Amino acid sequence: MADADGNVYVDMTAGFGAALIGHTHPHVVAALRTQSERMLHALGDVYPSDVKVALEARLAQMAPWPARVILGLSGADAIEAALKTAVLHTKRSGVLAFEGGYHGLSYGAVSVCGYKRAFREPFARQLNANVCFAPYADSRVEGALERSLGAVDRAFARGDVGAVLVEPVQGRGGVVVPPEGFLSALSERAKRVGAVLIVDEIYTGLHRTGGVWRAVDDGCDPDIVCLGKALGGGLPVSACVMRDEVANAWGDPDGEAIHTSTFLGNPLACAAAMASLDVLESPETQVAIRVTGARLADALDILAVDPALGITRVTHVGLLAGVTVAGGVARSLAVMRAMLERGYVLLPGGVAGDVLTLTPPCTLTAAQVAGFAQALDASLRAVRP
Ligand SMILES: Cc1ncc(COP(=O)(O)O)c(C=O)c1O
């Protein structure tokens, strides 16, 4: 991609993760062209477009159980829909979320964000007071699983928790991978107390870190899964995919819908999502994600063992990777700047801001991975801890 001055960059973020299949994928562009001649805007879910109905049916069919879908425009929208569904279903106000978790910044979503305090503090007095946080289980920290599940048990003992919200791998929180068994233990516990388990697959899902549903592959049995980012292939669309029994709590609308918005299920966004799913489901894309992810992981693992580079940790799962640098946020920002000057776009992440976060598209070539690794090596040497 190029900036306003014509400088060309390799986008190692895939536009915050949305362009998993690459920017401006021809199949998505063709679908948009066709849809733009048919219908730009319909009446949300009152008189929906055919393509919105088709997208909802397709997502429901992809779900691990009989499902219903609420579409949204952003990841945060999907989280809001999920939180409302849990309240309707359980009639309980409490929400359990995780420290370091990121779910978007609208009021409902920011209230369940355990990410940076700065995101919450100015609004703290207006945020949902029924949210409590447990430590996330980081597979690299000894005893973290027990500590996390212990906190989950204590929260459940309060008796008012109706929703549990978790990322299968914390993305923005610094690419934190939980140990095997964490997600399944969480779903067992949620079931035991009758809480709705909401899995936020907005970053991890749709093959970025494995299958369509990363958490399900990890042995978890969620009640609601939220998708976004890669779903629209670059257009704004998200989905709250709900197990039928849980979704039934919305009842049959016999008057005005109590959860909707003007652009919900926008036909262009839905057409882009249908095309994006075609590409994501193709064996070629899945091979590309695996191969590119492995190439990137190899390159990062080589850098990680060079003590001169000041890397304290490298984590990678598919096309989601984090490089923690010594020197904190000041150094990670300086390295990010140095990388931009060398033609590579990346983002800082992690609660302390010291994790260079990589969520590249699957179209990244071997030469681009090699060029990126060389540039990162040079940038880390140039910016000392
Ligand atoms: C896991 C996760 N959930 C939710 C969101 C919020 O998505 P959006 O920015 O589209 O509202 C993000 C965004 O980075 C995310 O990473």
Side-chain angles (χ1 to χ4, degrees), residues 16-17 73-79 101-106 109 113 165-173 199-204 226-229 236-238:
F16 304 123
L73 303 179
S74 65
D77 277 358
I79 297 294
Y102 184 80
H103 305 287
L105 298 181
S106 55
C113 271
L165 176 61
V166 69
E167 285 169 88
V169 174
Q170 285 189 338
R172 194 158 178 184
V199 172
D200 180 346
E201 296 260 18
I202 288 164
Y203 232 153
T204 51
C226 296
L227 296 175
K229 293 195 184 277
V237 57
S238 63

